Every structure is written in C-alpha cells, then in structure tokens.
C-alpha cells in the first residue's frame, strides 16, 4: 500500500471552546491523509465518541467542564477497546502542572494551543504512529521536571523482566532519541531498535512510547538532568 493509498489518520477533537474546535477542524480538514471523525465539547462526550469511532488520535483539552482532559485520558487508557487511541493533550501553558498528570495517565504527549500548524500536523502523525511527542525541548524539560519529583518512586511491574538490550533502548528512548537515533547509537538496524522498544513496552504494559519514558525515569533507569542554575 502506497502513502496515497494508506488510510487517513482519524482524529477526534475534544475541547470546550467552539472557536478552538473550529480552528483545528478547518486546519485538519484541509490536510490530505487526516480525517476529523468528531468533535466533543467536554471529556465525557469525548469518551463517548472515542468508544463509538475509535480514532487514531484524540486531541484533548486539559481543562474542560463535566470531565477534564486528565480524567478523559485516564478513562481512555483504562479501556482495552481504546488501546489504539493515542491521546495528545492540548494546553495553554508550557509548564502546566496538568501535563505531568497527563503523562502518568497515559497521554502520548502534549501540544501548546499556539503551536504552529505544521507542527500540529506533524505531531498528529507522530502520535498516530505510536511515538511519543518528546522531540521539542520544552517536552524534554517537562518530563525532566516531572520525574525529578515523583511522589512515590516505584518500579513499574515487569521492569525486572527487561533484557539488557531492552533496558538500554528504554534509557535511550527516555532521553528523547528516535528509533533511528537509537539504532545508530547501538549500531543495530532501525527495525531491531523498534522491536526492542516494542518488547519493552509490552513487558511494562506501556500504552505508548511516552509511558515507556515515564516508567524508565520513575524506575531510576535514567536520572533526570540537574536543571541549569
């Protein structure tokens, strides 16, 4: 199947602001290979539409009435029927405390609402492919601050079952490296790197790469860098 024949990335927009929903829809509807399958005005409505349509990506506002973005993410992550749904949290603030909780809840990553259109489109495709949105510097900084002060430092169940290679790729993923960069660092093929990452995620019960990164930090496999003074 060629890229032109590939099924479109199906996106659900969950935001209580009509203007934001309209803006996102206008941008996404104009893009080849992306299809908006619904809009929700709050998290509960979003959860209903997610269960009805099973989108590839759910763009979820962090603060909404009835059910907020964190609880919505947690509900999606807990539903086996929605295992293929990747949640991208939308926030107005780069260092929003809610983002920390969102990553723990199972979000694939987050975007600022004033993100450039090209970055939003790229992020949707990245999330749909199962990768975490960890490339931007602000995301790495957020995760670093998040894991530097977890309330209870625990080891993820199944972590002891990781092979040496799986631990190594998990640590590299936690530093924000892509599969291609991991492959170059370990002198293996990108396919082998992806296989190791996938196996580590399976053993840890991680929904996606973002949760693998969280588990790696919380388990102490990777130590957050000290902030610059």
């Amino acid at each position: 199947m060629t890229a032109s024949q590939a099924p479109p990335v199906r996106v659900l927009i969950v935001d209580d602001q009509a203007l934001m929903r309209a803006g996102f829809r206008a941008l996404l509807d104009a893009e080849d290979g992306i299809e908006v399958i619904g809009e929700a005005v709050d998290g509960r409505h979003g959860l209903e539409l997610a269960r009805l349509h099973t989108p590839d990506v759910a763009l979820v506002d962090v603060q909404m009435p009835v059910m907020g973005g964190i609880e919505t993410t947690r509900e999606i992550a807990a539903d086996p029927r929605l295992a293929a749904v990747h949640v991208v949290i939308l926030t107005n603030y780069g260092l929003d405390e809610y983002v920390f909780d969102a990553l723990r809840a199972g979000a694939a990553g987050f975007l600022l609402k004033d993100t450039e259109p090209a970055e939003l489109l790229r992020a949707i495709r990245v999330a749909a492919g199962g990768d975490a949105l960890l490339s931007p510097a602000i995301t790495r900084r957020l995760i670093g601050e998040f894991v530097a002060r977890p309330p209870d430092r625990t080891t993820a169940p199944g972590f002891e079952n990781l092979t040496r290679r799986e631990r190594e790729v998990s640590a590299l993923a936690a530093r924000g490296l892509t599969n291609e960069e991991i492959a170059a660092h370990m002198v293996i093929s990108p396919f082998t790197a992806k296989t190791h990452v996938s196996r580590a995620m399976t053993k840890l019960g991680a929904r996606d790469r973002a949760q693998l990164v969280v588990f790696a930090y919380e388990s102490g496999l990777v130590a957050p860098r000290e902030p610059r003074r």
Side-chain angles (χ1 to χ4, degrees), residues 8-12 33-37 53-58:
V9 176
R10 303 169 69 252
V11 179
L12 171 65
I34 294 180
E35 175 188 358
V36 177
I37 55 86
H53 298 293
T54 319
D56 300 303
V57 176

Side-chain angles (χ1 to χ4, degrees), residues 30-137:
E31 183 71 12
D32 290 337
I34 294 180
E35 175 188 358
V36 177
I37 55 86
E39 298 179 28
V41 299
D42 58 57
R44 185 166 296 165
H45 185 206
L47 186 59
E48 292 172 357
L49 291 183
R51 287 170 173 160
L52 180 63
H53 298 293
T54 319
D56 300 303
V57 176
L59 296 177
V60 179
D61 186 19
V62 72
Q63 290 183 295
M64 295 179 291
V66 184
M67 180 187 289
I70 306 303
E71 184 60 27
T72 303
T73 301
R74 191 173 292 115
E75 290 286 337
I76 289 176
D79 191 335
R81 296 169 296 175
L82 302 179
V85 179
H86 303 287
V87 177
V88 175
I89 292 289
L90 299 170
T91 177
N92 287 313
Y93 308 103
L95 290 177
D96 193 329
E97 283 288 333
Y98 292 110
V99 175
F100 304 143
D101 293 333
L103 290 171
R104 273 204 177 95
F110 80 99
L111 287 172
L112 299 181
K113 285 192 174 182
D114 62 357
T115 294
E116 292 293 325
E119 179 62 21
L120 172 65
L121 296 172
R122 186 196 71 82
I124 287 173
R125 291 191 168 95
V126 167
D131 288 327
L133 303 177
L134 300 175
S135 295

